[in-house]
Amino acid sequence: MKAIFVQLQCAPGKTYEVADEIYRKEIVSEMYSTSGDYDLLLKIYIEEGQDIGKFINDNIATVAGISRSLTTLTFNAF
């Protein structure tokens, strides 16, 4: 398993519902945005060699409560 970080913009009051839908994750931070949304930074564990883009499309992009396009902030944890 390797860790990646993913930033999401969630509708108000939906951050924990969104996080609950995503498995093998830790909440790193939650911040209020001036647009009224909440930014949620998650540390997500994926299989070694797994395609990050495919993982995001299959497991995160369709989660209800994400108010804007997924911010592609993915990088290897160190």
Side-chain angles (χ1 to χ4, degrees):
M1 301 291 275
K2 73 175 182 178
I4 61 170
F5 291 89
V6 178
Q7 181 179 355
L8 308 174
Q9 292 180 327
C10 304
K14 297 291 184 184
T15 52
Y16 293 108
E17 289 177 31
V18 167
D20 285 345
E21 292 292 319
I22 302 168
Y23 63 97
R24 294 191 309 236
K25 54 76 181 68
E26 297 172 25
I27 296 175
V28 176
S29 72
E30 177 185 5
M31 293 179 4
Y32 178 72
S33 162
T34 56
S35 67
D37 297 326
Y38 288 79
D39 289 345
L40 183 63
L41 181 61
L42 300 175
K43 183 178 183 180
I44 301 173
Y45 296 91
I46 65 172
E47 300 292 330
E48 282 291 332
Q50 186 172 14
D51 181 82
I52 293 171
K54 180 167 177 23
F55 176 85
I56 289 172
N57 286 336
D58 293 349
N59 299 289
I60 299 174
T62 58
V63 172
I66 297 175
S67 63
R68 295 190 188 188
S69 301
L70 204 56
T71 302
T72 311
L73 174 71
T74 55
F75 50 89
N76 290 333
F78 49 92

